[in-house]
Amino acid sequence: MFKPFFVDCSGKKHIFPDDCALKRSLALAWRRGEDVFCFKYRLKSSYTCGHSYQLNTIQQTCDDFVVCFGFESPLGKESYCF
């Protein structure tokens, strides 16, 4: 079964059981000051079609984080936020 992952700036692959776990780890890396916008992401959700995504925005709310990923193809742009 496919598991979501991200590849950090040093090339290390970090694998997670689901997209929410990836989001939590991404938020921790962002808090540590890592350049999370240079990471490469692959999300698990079935409607993401297995594309590699780029992190577009990360926003802190009063009790959580909202992350938005994007993918661009010749057919148009696709985004996924959670």
Side-chain angles (χ1 to χ4, degrees):
M1 174 131 192
F2 175 78
K3 294 194 183 275
F5 65 86
F6 67 73
V7 179
D8 63 22
C9 297
S10 67
K12 184 177 179 186
K13 187 176 188 179
H14 303 264
I15 301 170
F16 303 94
D18 57 36
D19 287 345
C20 291
L22 181 143
K23 176 186 169 185
R24 284 190 297 274
S25 182
L26 166 64
L28 289 173
W30 183 63
R31 287 179 182 158
R32 286 192 304 264
E34 295 184 41
D35 185 9
V36 295
F37 292 97
C38 79
F39 293 4
K40 299 198 183 321
Y41 300 89
R42 185 63 66 98
L43 305 174
K44 181 178 182 174
S45 299
S46 60
Y47 49 86
T48 63
C49 302
H51 299 296
S52 291
Y53 281 78
Q54 180 177 357
L55 178 64
N56 290 335
T57 61
I58 183 168
Q59 299 173 345
Q60 186 172 5
T61 64
C62 60
D63 61 344
D64 201 6
F65 287 89
V66 177
V67 293
C68 291
F69 297 92
F71 170 77
E72 193 168 339
S73 74
L75 299 174
K77 294 181 181 180
E78 178 182 322
S79 63
Y80 174 62
C81 298
F82 64 99

